Amino acid sequence: MPKVLVFGTGSLGTCYAWALSKAVGQDNVTAICRSNYEAASRNGFTVHSTLWGDNLTFQPRIARSVAEAVRQLSLDTQQFFDFVVVAAKAVPTDPSIAEIIGPAIVKGKTAIVLLQNGIGIEDEYARLYPESPLLSTVAYFPATQVSPGVVHHKEVELLHVGTYPADAPQAHKNIAREFVELLGKGGATAKLHDDIQRKRWAKLLVNSSWNPICALTRLRDREFIEVSLDLGLGAGNDKWGDGARFIKDVMMEIASVAQAYGYSDVNEETVDFQIGRAVVRDLPGVQPSMLGDAFEKRSMEVDAIVGNVVRLARKKGVNVPMLRTIYLLANGLSESFSRKKLQG
Amino acid sequence: MPKVLVFGTGSLGTCYAWALSKAVGQDNVTAICRSNYEAASRNGFTVHSTLWGDNLTFQPRIARSVAEAVRQLSLDTQQFFDFVVVAAKAVPTDPSIAEIIGPAIVKGKTAIVLLQNGIGIEDEYARLYPESPLLSTVAYFPATQVSPGVVHHKEVELLHVGTYPADAPQAHKNIAREFVELLGKGGATAKLHDDIQRKRWAKLLVNSSWNPICALTRLRDREFIEVSLDLGLGAGNDKWGDGARFIKDVMMEIASVAQAYGYSDVNEETVDFQIGRAVVRDLPGVQPSMLGDAFEKRSMEVDAIVGNVVRLARKKGVNVPMLRTIYLLANGLSESFSRKKLQG
């Protein structure tokens, strides 16, 4: 059976650790825990899912660090991980996550799976581990860790999977297929894609706009639309008002970057579809993860989700003044949280 | 002696009430108080100023409402106000401040003085009281109300004064001069301008940019520069980095609106001068009033300071994508505070 290391057991990491435990057996899964280490060591994990079932408990191996996870393999027949799944939040750390997982990566044997939001997040892994198969994923998976080791999940579960880069060797493509099949065996829905970046851009349309906008305004998506209906900016008589027009213009900037990179199916049609989803929600609407981070004064995935889009735009000479503004502001807000901690 | 009503006794209103009390006698000044009514009734006001002197106490008439202020005149020889000075924060209320002061405005006798930030804030007063002289002012006056009725002031004190509109009748111009002379008599520095809007635009350059940017990021000006030094946006090797470049671009949008309205002296040179002031400050830098409002979850002067600039830009077909973004975000943040209050 393949062995799996899951780095980061927030809501997403925990749920996919459950599916992988079902597929390969929980003894072949090691979860790296930080704040939920005590709880997970004592009680394992519990997932309550409207799709997978209620009260799903499992007890994988638990480690505090990658070194500890590797040590735990020393008496096993197979002393390396086949998959290292990175499910931690994509925020800059020192050392970086890519560096931290180093001890668990065995050249030619270990594949790395990135279960993270954003764009351009694969670069550092590809640079540090050029020979390791690198899988990039896009998750549609609304879940919340309600207490240490206990996760609620609802509505949808879908993981898009593909190699990085899209033109990786066939051997890597095969490993992507293997990973998708493992998840299927574990009861999760995963789809294999030849070019996963297309899916990343499609998700960014929503993520790079709503996430920072909600975090900066401290409003949920539908609330933002509501308080911005008529600001005298010309769309007050439109069906959805000045706020929705603003969101559309921001999304169109993101789409223009996607198009500059060849993803022409991220366009006005998909933008309108995404706006349409938000405006018909009941008040107060959805709370994007970054808004939750802002309320808790946790650092936010600003670079992965917004900054990289602005930098990619710059490389292609695409003008994104609104997104650049949002980036500088969201970066400042996120930095204010760490400054508070430093000062306090 | 002229009679003066001061509507709004925050830090600025209190300090100019002191100067006017010195000029016309405190019995000829009525201050409308809300949260500091009890304190001001009991102890009057106290100003501690590095320029005017320490421990300056005065006891004008105090009223809770405009109606009460007018009633208090009923036994006086002169039963109307010569000047109604509006020093309340320029945030939308219902009824509006312009409507609220109505009972104190005697046609042909009472002049209205707006001691408020922003642009385009005179319109409603001009519409409601077309025959009343309307004075518009721009204050450089760093002051803080440290406890109810007690204000600290430091460094500079300067009030620019002019009629609204700039081409008001000579009679109104004379009243502007009279008001400037009153302030001078009271120990304050006031300057008369033929076109006060020029001064408004010059101040907006700083206000419309730093105020909302600091409020949204929860950082002081110099801190914002500091956390945005190198974001990979091309100005990382400049002397002041990506954050200062961003601020400059926002200010240039404001300048382009000012220029569209004929104020060509609000330009790159003045922008560079203002950036230069911020970047050389010691950390953490200055806390703009809107950042204080954000920390206290008070509604912010978003429309007066940012929204009106965006709407004026729109009227002239000037493109201000960054400022529009800042406006929508700051408006949302300010609305989130009132929603919290409604819900809580």
Side-chain angles (χ1 to χ4, degrees), chain A:
Chain A
M1 274 298 163
K3 283 182 180 289
V4 181
L5 177 67
V6 177
F7 183 89
T9 47
S11 53
L12 196 64
T14 299
C15 289
Y16 282 102
W18 175 79
L20 290 163
S21 290
K22 269 192 68 182
V24 302
Q26 63 186 17
D27 293 342
N28 288 313
V29 173
T30 305
I32 306 264
C33 298
R34 286 185 309 172
S35 59
N36 55 6
Y37 176 84
E38 297 297 339
S41 301
R42 223 175 20 248
N43 311 316
F45 295 95
T46 306
V47 172
H48 301 287
S49 166
T50 57
L51 297 179
W52 290 347
D54 224 28
N55 219 37
L56 309 169
T57 60
F58 65 113
Q59 178 60 278
R61 293 183 183 186
I62 308 289
R64 275 185 207 270
S65 68
V66 174
E68 188 184 337
V70 171
R71 272 199 306 276
Q72 289 175 358
L73 299 183
S74 61
L75 298 180
D76 292 9
T77 316
Q78 176 184 321
Q79 301 190 357
F80 62 88
F81 293 107
D82 297 278
F83 294 99
V84 170
V85 178
V86 176
K89 212 160 67 167
V91 293
T93 53
D94 187 15
S96 68
I97 300 174
E99 291 165 336
I100 290 171
I101 62 168
I105 311 299
V106 177
K107 207 188 285 186
K109 296 193 184 289
T110 308
I112 300 166
V113 185
L114 301 183
L115 220 71
Q116 294 181 306
N117 280 320
I119 196 85
I121 59 162
E122 303 92 347
D123 293 356
E124 192 190 358
Y125 296 88
R127 210 166 51 240
L128 285 178
Y129 313 107
E131 292 162 56
S132 303
L134 181 53
L135 310 187
S136 185
T137 73
V138 176
Y140 287 89
F141 201 100
T144 315
Q145 187 171 208
V146 292
S147 63
V150 181
V151 174
H152 283 193
H153 160 241
K154 59 177 184 180
E155 288 178 15
V156 291
E157 62 92 11
L158 174 58
L159 193 71
H160 297 292
V161 179
T163 58
Y164 182 88
D167 61 355
Q170 188 55 44
H172 295 193
K173 296 266 176 198
N174 294 343
I175 286 168
R177 179 172 302 279
E178 188 190 334
F179 187 72
V180 164
E181 286 166 0
L182 271 185
L183 285 177
K185 206 172 141 192
T189 310
K191 278 190 189 163
L192 187 63
H193 294 269
D194 210 47
D195 184 355
I196 185 67
Q197 298 304 319
R198 185 177 304 280
K199 289 290 165 188
R200 284 208 173 269
W201 281 108
K203 191 175 180 189
L204 271 184
L205 211 55
V206 176
N207 264 359
S208 311
S209 52
W210 278 121
N211 257 302
I213 287 168
C214 290
L216 286 161
T217 59
R218 306 186 160 235
L219 295 170
R220 288 171 174 234
D221 59 355
R222 185 70 172 70
E223 286 179 314
F224 177 80
I225 300 272
E226 193 69 15
V227 304
S228 318
L229 279 176
D230 187 359
L231 300 177
L233 301 182
N237 292 326
D238 284 14
K239 198 169 161 199
W240 297 114
D242 285 314
R245 170 79 65 88
F246 165 74
I247 297 286
K248 175 166 180 172
D249 291 347
V250 173
M251 285 189 179
M252 286 303 292
E253 284 192 357
I254 302 165
S256 69
V257 186
Q259 288 175 19
Y261 283 86
Y263 300 101
S264 57
D265 50 342
V266 180
N267 52 33
E268 186 162 5
E269 197 181 327
T270 45
V271 166
D272 284 339
F273 171 75
Q274 293 297 352
I275 303 269
R277 284 181 59 196
V279 292
V280 298
R281 286 199 180 101
D282 288 334
L283 275 167
V286 166
Q287 174 175 309
S289 62
M290 219 182 254
L291 176 54
D293 289 339
F295 282 140
E296 302 295 328
K297 298 192 193 304
R298 289 187 299 245
S299 59
M300 312 187 300
E301 296 177 299
V302 178
D303 278 300
I305 292 180
V306 193
N308 286 351
V309 183
V310 178
R311 284 181 283 268
L312 286 168
R314 196 170 164 264
K315 270 190 200 161
K316 294 275 189 186
V318 178
N319 196 25
V320 290
M322 304 175 81
L323 205 62
R324 174 180 170 224
T325 302
I326 290 169
Y327 171 43
L328 271 281
L329 295 174
N331 177 68
L333 180 61
S334 188
E335 289 284 342
S336 81
F337 300 146
S338 33
R339 287 180 90 79
K340 290 280 139 50
K341 280 180 206 143
L342 285 175
Q343 287 163 12

Side-chain angles (χ1 to χ4, degrees), chain B residues 223-243:
Chain B
E223 286 179 312
F224 177 80
I225 300 272
E226 193 69 15
V227 304
S228 318
L229 279 176
D230 187 359
L231 300 177
L233 301 182
N237 292 325
D238 284 14
K239 198 170 162 198
W240 297 113
D242 284 314

Side-chain angles (χ1 to χ4, degrees), chain B residues 130-158:
Chain B
E131 292 163 58
S132 303
L134 181 53
L135 310 187
S136 184
T137 73
V138 176
Y140 287 89
F141 202 99
T144 315
Q145 187 170 208
V146 293
S147 63
V150 181
V151 175
H152 283 194
H153 161 242
K154 59 177 185 179
E155 288 178 14
V156 291
E157 62 91 11
L158 175 58

Side-chain angles (χ1 to χ4, degrees), chain B residues 1-24:
Chain B
M1 273 298 163
K3 282 181 180 290
V4 181
L5 176 67
V6 177
F7 183 89
T9 46
S11 53
L12 196 64
T14 299
C15 289
Y16 283 102
W18 175 79
L20 290 163
S21 290
K22 269 191 68 181
V24 302

